[in-house]
């Protein structure tokens, strides 16, 4: 890089130094001038701190200045920059204009070096415990030299100069040899599975992982750690990459975890790392950002408890982030390259320099990149070089506007001082400097709290009033974090202050609670500030602030218009993260769109999450459940209380560019009419009803698209089907030489949302995560399908008997042979012959079915026979009434009105008669009815009674008996309430599953299969994912004009669905990025064995 600058006629002066990995002679041969006098330079570049005495007046400097957090020890240096009118730049502030990430940094090399050096210490630590392990066969990073690595040679004018440069390559080779020894000899069984736990999302952690992956290893999920000891190999090491959700949980156990919400409101979360991950961790590799707003990974007290319960856990800490008393509280001090380790004695809470094997080995070197000086220097220099020519030729005497134009955005935003004062982006440092030396001493009377204040703190001047109020009452403060241009859920471009208050509570003086109340009142009474104060539960360390400001303060994000983007813990890397949504907002280049979303139900979250980031969209979420809508929303959303059955739709629709209805299908019509009226496109995930179809002509006239059937079923099932059909038809179009064309003769589609097998623990084999009403009503729909060219009709009342088939495809042809499934004929399958543009003369088999676990239809049929699915006749269910009593009353009503096809043996049941026999009258009544009105065997009837008892708790009459929670006029609604309560996902580790199989048979004795299997996870249920993302993606495509209104079959506008191949392919391709990926295969088979049985 020096030679390139010299070749561009830039004079380079180098201060002589014998400690550098690159020698003075190398610089001279590159054309630099080695001299002790740098005063002729216009721009001076260093790395670490520059002594104040060496600053030349009116010069420009670039280094790690360590002033942007208001670090007290470096304020004299900042004052000297003011006095000498220094133009000061800081590497930490050189950030990419788009991503806001640092572009000139050593992070990766800290991770690389820390992992290698840490392994050496681990080997010595375990040896002190009496175990010789392969970890002994590694040295600290700085000990590696090589004359063979080509990167360690450099050529100047074809002359090779060799030196003993430190080599990453050789360290990697030695690490792999160590891995071979682990693979061959294993690790001591006394330690159990040897688990390395990684925290952090950035280059530091990625560098550490780079080294770790050189060992024989296996990555496991955090939730699998408790059972790892049952099945592990000592011949490899295990890795866990912590996510934020692994570290904290919401205090409301049932709340959906949202990472961004945690970053904004950490006080609503509690730490769980010490309970769920630390007990199974052998080595903690910490590379994460932490500040006092957030809970620590491990406190001293938690570490003591862990040491008692699991003495073999937490053998070592490689703290590459090197933050004393930060995320890991027992990190007492930093270390250096010569003595990189200390041992933390848990019982005595002491750090000793010896490695005696008794406590936790700690690596805390704060200059790890220097252990790889050549590799680090080369990388750093390459990152910096694009800025050097502009820096060298920049004139500090011209205006800031002219400097900005010459320097470019990245370097201009890294300028801290100019002309004797702080630049605009760094004015906040003055507020940090208001802190004074602590006069408080450690005492039981010293109380400490950490407060977070969001608001317009600088514009209103309230920040000074807050600090004045604290001082006026004899308290001291430490500013831990100060951000400007933060976007919170309540405010845009606000500021955030996180401050620790230390107060000596004495008799007659103000208490901490009283002071906090005064500060809250100040915030409330200052309208311009719009300030909100929250007490944070984490991180306070009273009477120590003067010693720890540098480490406690958070990095500022002044140049960013987004919320502080530092991430506590990474999402799992490796495989593509299906929960990651790319931020495609571009405020300057993309148009702003307003999207209206009706509904805040089960599938709304992925729709809101996706559309918030897929463009410059502002979302209005209109819902009659405001709290649910707020819980799902983010800063790009406005929540509006709205009831489509009561409120006026037109004013809302008129104000937006597109409308998404996530409401039940019956509620779409008034919304669609309003969209037609105002010319707004609309999207739904529902089937096209007859009422919706009637609006087609009006929609065409209005030149809008009302895109329906764009969820899972209907939606993805259509898209997968038409993709295969279109491919076959395209191939046929190319056959022109008389060869026989491939003709589609049959179609079968099976789709279902189910509990995952391990969660299907009731007789229905089913659980509800939203209202069961749709499932119950669908079980009474008429069905029409085709088998061997003959139409098969099933009346709705008999669907659960005559419309049920067993999915017996055989293990060779069933893509999921371990699942015991049945399928239920789904409405009119034959209409899809035309919808999919198939030749009705060729089609012999046409079937669409809903998948359920075997036995579901039997259980639901029993409920139908009893009258529990009746949605036509009013029958009062009273709040507080026992289900036992209600069901008896219902059965009596049906017996008296002759509602059962075959009357039971008895028409009256006397309780006293059954009590004498020790029998339950209700069970007897139901058994009697089932025997007369179903084809069931006694065993099937017994199973049904067991289901009503164990799964629905209906037969419990006294304490603990199930009660009706609300008044209902229809039996089906009361039954829905019961199912929603009893057959729900009630454990955090339960998950759902979506299964979709499309099969298309042809005259070539082939079956083309496309299958989809999706499991729910901690972010989205499988059903929410597979319904929400397709409709969200389609909505953004409509907004962008990527779904052309000219490309649809039959007509280019109006009431449409997603069966056009161009639409299907676009949406399916995008869905793959979000965990919705179909698998395809071709099966040579006779279609006979795929018919219903």
């Amino acid at each position: 890089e020096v030679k390139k600058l010299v070749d561009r006629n830039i004079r380079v002066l180098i201060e002589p130094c014998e400690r550098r990995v690159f020698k003075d002679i190398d610089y001279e041969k590159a054309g630099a001038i080695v001299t002790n006098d740098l005063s002729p330079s216009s721009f001076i570049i260093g790395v670490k701190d520059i002594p104040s005495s060496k600053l030349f007046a009116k010069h420009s400097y670039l280094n790690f200045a360590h002033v942007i957090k208001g670090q007290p020890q470096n304020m004299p240096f900042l004052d000297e920059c003011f006095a000498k009118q220094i133009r000061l730049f800081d590497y930490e502030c050189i950030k990419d204009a788009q991503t806001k990430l640092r572009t000139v940094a050593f992070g990766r090399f800290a991770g690389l070096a820390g992992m290698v050096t840490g392994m050496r210490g681990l080997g010595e630590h375990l040896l002190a415990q009496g175990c010789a392990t392969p970890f002994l066969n590694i040295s600290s990073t700085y000990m590696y030299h090589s004359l063979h690595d080509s990167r360690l040679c450099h050529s100047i004018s074809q002359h090779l100069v060799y030196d003993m440069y430190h080599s990453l390559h050789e360290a990697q080779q030695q690490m792999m040899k160590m891995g071979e020894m682990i693979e061959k000899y294993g690790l001591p069984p006394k330690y159990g599975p040897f688990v390395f736990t990684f925290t952090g999302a950035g280059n530091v952690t990625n560098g550490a992982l780079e080294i770790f992956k050189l060992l024989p290893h296996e990555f496991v999920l955090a939730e699998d750690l408790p059972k790892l000891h049952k099945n592990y190999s000592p011949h490899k090491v295990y890795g866990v990459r912590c996510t934020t959700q692994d570290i904290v949980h919401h205090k409301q156990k049932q709340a959906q975890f949202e990472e961004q919400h945690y970053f904004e409101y950490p006080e609503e979360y509690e730490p769980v790392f010490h309970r769920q991950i630390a007990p199974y961790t052998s080595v903690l590799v910490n590379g994460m950002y932490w500040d006092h707003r957030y809970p620590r990974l491990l406190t001293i007290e938690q570490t003591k408890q862990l040491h008692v319960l699991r003495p073999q856990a937490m053998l070592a800490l490689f703290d590459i982030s090197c933050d004393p008393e930060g995320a890991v509280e027992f990190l007492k001090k930093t270390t250096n390259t010569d003595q990189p380790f200390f041992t933390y004695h848990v019982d005595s809470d002491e750090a000793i320099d010896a490695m005696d094997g008794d406590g936790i080995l700690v690596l805390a070197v704060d200059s790890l990149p220097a252990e790889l000086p050549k590799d680090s220097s080369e990388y750093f220099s390459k990152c910096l070089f694009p800025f050097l020519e502009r820096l060298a030729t920049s004139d500090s005497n011209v205006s800031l506007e002219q400097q900005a134009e010459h320097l470019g955005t990245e370097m201009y935003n890294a300028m801290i001082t100019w002309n004797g004062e702080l630049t605009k982006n760094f004015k906040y440092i003055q507020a940090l400097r208001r802190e004074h030396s602590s006069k408080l001493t450690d005492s039981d009377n010293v109380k400490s709290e950490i407060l977070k204040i969001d608001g317009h703190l600088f514009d209103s001047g309230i920040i000074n009033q807050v600090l004045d109020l604290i001082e006026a009452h004899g308290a001291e403060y430490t500013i831990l974090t100060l951000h400007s241009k933060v976007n919170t859920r309540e405010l845009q471009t606000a500021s955030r202050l996180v401050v620790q208050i230390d107060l000596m509570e004495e008799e007659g003086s103000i208490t901490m609670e009283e002071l906090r109340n005064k500060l809250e009142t100040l915030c409330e009474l200052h309208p311009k500030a719009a300030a909100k104060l929250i007490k944070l539960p984490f991180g306070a360390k009273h009477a120590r602030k003067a010693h720890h400001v540098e480490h406690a303060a958070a990095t500022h994000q002044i140049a960013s218009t987004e919320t502080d983007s530092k991430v506590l813990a990474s999402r799992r890397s490796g495989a593509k993260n299906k929960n990651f949504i790319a931020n495609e907002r571009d405020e300057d280049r993309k148009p702003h769109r307003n999207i209206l979303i009706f509904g805040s139900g089960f599938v709304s979250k992925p729709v809101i999450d996706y559309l918030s980031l897929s463009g410059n969209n502002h979302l209005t979420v209109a819902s009659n459940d405001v709290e649910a809508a707020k819980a799902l929303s983010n800063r790009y959303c406005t929540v509006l209380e709205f009831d489509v059955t009561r409120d006026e739709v037109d004013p809302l629709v008129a104000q937006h560019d597109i409308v998404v209805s996530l409401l039940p299908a019956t509620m779409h019509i008034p919304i669609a009419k309003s969209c037609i009226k105002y010319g707004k496109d609309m999207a739904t995930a529902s089937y096209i009803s007859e009422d919706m179809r009637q609006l087609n002509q009006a929609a065409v006239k209005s030149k809008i698209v009302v895109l329906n059937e764009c969820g899972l079923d209907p939606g993805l099932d259509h898209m997968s089907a038409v993709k295969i059909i279109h491919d076959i038809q395209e191939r046929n179009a190319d056959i022109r030489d008389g060869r026989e064309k491939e003709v589609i003769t049959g179609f079968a589609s099976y789709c279902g949302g189910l509990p995952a097998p391990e969660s299907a623990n009731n007789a229905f084999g089913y659980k509800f995560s939203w209202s069961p009403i749709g499932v119950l009503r669908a079980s009474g729909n008429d069905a029409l399908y085709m088998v061997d060219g003959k139409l098969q009709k099933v009346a709705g009342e008999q669907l659960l008997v005559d419309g049920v088939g067993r999915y017996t495809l055989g293990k060779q042809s069933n893509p999921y042979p371990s699942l015991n499934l049945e399928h239920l004929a789904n409405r009119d399958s034959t209409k899809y012959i035309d919808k999919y543009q198939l030749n009705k003369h060729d089609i012999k088999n046409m079937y669409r079915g809903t998948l359920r676990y075997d036995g579901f239809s039997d259980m639901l049929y029993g409920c139908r026979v009893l009258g529990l699915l009746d949605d036509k006749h009013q029958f009062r269910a009273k709040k507080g009434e026992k289900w036992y009593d209600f069901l008896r009353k219902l059965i009596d009503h049906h017996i008296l009105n002759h509602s059962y096809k075959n009357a039971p043996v008895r028409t009256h049941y006397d309780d006293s008669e059954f009590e004498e026999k020790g029998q339950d009258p209700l069970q007897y009544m139901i058994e009697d009815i089932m025997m007369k009105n179903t084809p069931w065997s006694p065993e099937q009837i017994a199973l049904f009674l067991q289901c009503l008892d164990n799964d629905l708790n209906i037969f419990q009459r006294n304490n603990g008996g199930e009660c009706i929670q609300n008044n209902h006029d229809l039996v089906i609604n009361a039954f829905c309430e019961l199912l929603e309560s009893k057959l729900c996902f009630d454990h955090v580790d339960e998950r759902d599953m979506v299964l979709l199989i499309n099969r298309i048979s042809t005259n070539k004795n082939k079956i083309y299969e496309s299958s989809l299997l999706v499991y729910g996870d901690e972010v989205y249920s499988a059903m929410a994912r597979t319904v929400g993302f397709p409709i969200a993606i389609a909505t953004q495509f409509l907004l962008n004009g990527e779904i052309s209104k000219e490309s649809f079959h039959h007509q280019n506008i109006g009431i449409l669905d997603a069966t056009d191949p161009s639409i299907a392919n676009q949406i399916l391709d995008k869905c793959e990025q979000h965990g919705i990926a179909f698998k395809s295969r071709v099966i040579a088979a006779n279609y006979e064995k795929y018919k219903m049985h």
Side-chain angles (χ1 to χ4, degrees), residues 1027-1038:
V1027 175
F1029 277 110
I1031 191 172
I1033 290 166
T1035 300
Q1036 190 62 53
F1037 281 164
L1038 279 170

PDB file of all heavy atoms in Angstrom, residues 1027-1038:
ATOM      1  N   VAL A1027     -48.892 -19.760   5.332  1.00  0.00           N
ATOM      2  CA  VAL A1027     -49.984 -18.889   4.889  1.00  0.00           C
ATOM      3  C   VAL A1027     -49.498 -17.450   4.761  1.00  0.00           C
ATOM      4  O   VAL A1027     -49.784 -16.763   3.776  1.00  0.00           O
ATOM      5  CB  VAL A1027     -51.177 -18.949   5.878  1.00  0.00           C
ATOM      6  CG1 VAL A1027     -52.255 -17.939   5.466  1.00  0.00           C
ATOM      7  CG2 VAL A1027     -51.766 -20.342   5.914  1.00  0.00           C
ATOM      8  N   GLY A1028     -48.723 -16.999   5.750  1.00  0.00           N
ATOM      9  CA  GLY A1028     -48.353 -15.585   5.820  1.00  0.00           C
ATOM     10  C   GLY A1028     -47.355 -15.135   4.771  1.00  0.00           C
ATOM     11  O   GLY A1028     -47.551 -14.102   4.114  1.00  0.00           O
ATOM     12  N   PHE A1029     -46.277 -15.877   4.590  1.00  0.00           N
ATOM     13  CA  PHE A1029     -45.256 -15.422   3.649  1.00  0.00           C
ATOM     14  C   PHE A1029     -45.738 -15.399   2.203  1.00  0.00           C
ATOM     15  O   PHE A1029     -45.447 -14.436   1.473  1.00  0.00           O
ATOM     16  CB  PHE A1029     -43.981 -16.263   3.788  1.00  0.00           C
ATOM     17  CG  PHE A1029     -43.088 -15.811   4.905  1.00  0.00           C
ATOM     18  CD1 PHE A1029     -42.925 -16.572   6.047  1.00  0.00           C
ATOM     19  CD2 PHE A1029     -42.423 -14.597   4.826  1.00  0.00           C
ATOM     20  CE1 PHE A1029     -42.111 -16.147   7.080  1.00  0.00           C
ATOM     21  CE2 PHE A1029     -41.609 -14.152   5.856  1.00  0.00           C
ATOM     22  CZ  PHE A1029     -41.458 -14.937   6.994  1.00  0.00           C
ATOM     23  N   PRO A1030     -46.477 -16.413   1.706  1.00  0.00           N
ATOM     24  CA  PRO A1030     -46.945 -16.323   0.312  1.00  0.00           C
ATOM     25  C   PRO A1030     -47.808 -15.090   0.046  1.00  0.00           C
ATOM     26  O   PRO A1030     -47.628 -14.409  -0.966  1.00  0.00           O
ATOM     27  CB  PRO A1030     -47.737 -17.619   0.118  1.00  0.00           C
ATOM     28  CG  PRO A1030     -47.128 -18.575   1.090  1.00  0.00           C
ATOM     29  CD  PRO A1030     -46.768 -17.744   2.279  1.00  0.00           C
ATOM     30  N   ILE A1031     -48.755 -14.794   0.942  1.00  0.00           N
ATOM     31  CA  ILE A1031     -49.621 -13.640   0.680  1.00  0.00           C
ATOM     32  C   ILE A1031     -48.841 -12.337   0.822  1.00  0.00           C
ATOM     33  O   ILE A1031     -49.077 -11.376   0.084  1.00  0.00           O
ATOM     34  CB  ILE A1031     -50.866 -13.656   1.596  1.00  0.00           C
ATOM     35  CG1 ILE A1031     -51.874 -12.596   1.124  1.00  0.00           C
ATOM     36  CG2 ILE A1031     -50.515 -13.462   3.051  1.00  0.00           C
ATOM     37  CD1 ILE A1031     -53.204 -12.666   1.855  1.00  0.00           C
ATOM     38  N   ALA A1032     -47.874 -12.295   1.745  1.00  0.00           N
ATOM     39  CA  ALA A1032     -47.056 -11.090   1.896  1.00  0.00           C
ATOM     40  C   ALA A1032     -46.193 -10.861   0.656  1.00  0.00           C
ATOM     41  O   ALA A1032     -46.080  -9.736   0.154  1.00  0.00           O
ATOM     42  CB  ALA A1032     -46.179 -11.210   3.142  1.00  0.00           C
ATOM     43  N   ILE A1033     -45.599 -11.931   0.156  1.00  0.00           N
ATOM     44  CA  ILE A1033     -44.753 -11.828  -1.042  1.00  0.00           C
ATOM     45  C   ILE A1033     -45.587 -11.395  -2.245  1.00  0.00           C
ATOM     46  O   ILE A1033     -45.181 -10.524  -3.026  1.00  0.00           O
ATOM     47  CB  ILE A1033     -44.056 -13.180  -1.299  1.00  0.00           C
ATOM     48  CG1 ILE A1033     -42.987 -13.429  -0.213  1.00  0.00           C
ATOM     49  CG2 ILE A1033     -43.431 -13.219  -2.688  1.00  0.00           C
ATOM     50  CD1 ILE A1033     -42.482 -14.856  -0.176  1.00  0.00           C
ATOM     51  N   ALA A1034     -46.769 -11.988  -2.404  1.00  0.00           N
ATOM     52  CA  ALA A1034     -47.647 -11.609  -3.514  1.00  0.00           C
ATOM     53  C   ALA A1034     -48.050 -10.141  -3.417  1.00  0.00           C
ATOM     54  O   ALA A1034     -48.117  -9.427  -4.431  1.00  0.00           O
ATOM     55  CB  ALA A1034     -48.891 -12.495  -3.523  1.00  0.00           C
ATOM     56  N   THR A1035     -48.305  -9.674  -2.206  1.00  0.00           N
ATOM     57  CA  THR A1035     -48.685  -8.268  -2.006  1.00  0.00           C
ATOM     58  C   THR A1035     -47.573  -7.329  -2.443  1.00  0.00           C
ATOM     59  O   THR A1035     -47.817  -6.333  -3.143  1.00  0.00           O
ATOM     60  CB  THR A1035     -49.024  -8.027  -0.519  1.00  0.00           C
ATOM     61  OG1 THR A1035     -50.114  -8.873  -0.142  1.00  0.00           O
ATOM     62  CG2 THR A1035     -49.407  -6.582  -0.280  1.00  0.00           C
ATOM     63  N   GLN A1036     -46.330  -7.643  -2.041  1.00  0.00           N
ATOM     64  CA  GLN A1036     -45.215  -6.782  -2.441  1.00  0.00           C
ATOM     65  C   GLN A1036     -44.997  -6.833  -3.943  1.00  0.00           C
ATOM     66  O   GLN A1036     -44.674  -5.818  -4.572  1.00  0.00           O
ATOM     67  CB  GLN A1036     -43.935  -7.191  -1.702  1.00  0.00           C
ATOM     68  CG  GLN A1036     -42.777  -6.207  -1.870  1.00  0.00           C
ATOM     69  CD  GLN A1036     -43.103  -4.829  -1.317  1.00  0.00           C
ATOM     70  OE1 GLN A1036     -43.508  -4.698  -0.174  1.00  0.00           O
ATOM     71  NE2 GLN A1036     -42.933  -3.794  -2.130  1.00  0.00           N
ATOM     72  N   PHE A1037     -45.179  -8.018  -4.550  1.00  0.00           N
ATOM     73  CA  PHE A1037     -45.058  -8.131  -6.004  1.00  0.00           C
ATOM     74  C   PHE A1037     -46.088  -7.242  -6.702  1.00  0.00           C
ATOM     75  O   PHE A1037     -45.791  -6.581  -7.701  1.00  0.00           O
ATOM     76  CB  PHE A1037     -45.239  -9.584  -6.453  1.00  0.00           C
ATOM     77  CG  PHE A1037     -44.022 -10.448  -6.268  1.00  0.00           C
ATOM     78  CD1 PHE A1037     -44.110 -11.821  -6.312  1.00  0.00           C
ATOM     79  CD2 PHE A1037     -42.779  -9.884  -6.064  1.00  0.00           C
ATOM     80  CE1 PHE A1037     -42.987 -12.621  -6.148  1.00  0.00           C
ATOM     81  CE2 PHE A1037     -41.650 -10.670  -5.896  1.00  0.00           C
ATOM     82  CZ  PHE A1037     -41.751 -12.039  -5.934  1.00  0.00           C
ATOM     83  N   LEU A1038     -47.320  -7.245  -6.202  1.00  0.00           N
ATOM     84  CA  LEU A1038     -48.355  -6.387  -6.783  1.00  0.00           C
ATOM     85  C   LEU A1038     -47.979  -4.918  -6.661  1.00  0.00           C
ATOM     86  O   LEU A1038     -48.134  -4.136  -7.607  1.00  0.00           O
ATOM     87  CB  LEU A1038     -49.702  -6.648  -6.101  1.00  0.00           C
ATOM     88  CG  LEU A1038     -50.501  -7.866  -6.570  1.00  0.00           C
ATOM     89  CD1 LEU A1038     -51.674  -8.116  -5.643  1.00  0.00           C
ATOM     90  CD2 LEU A1038     -50.986  -7.680  -8.004  1.00  0.00           C
TER      91      LEU A1038
END
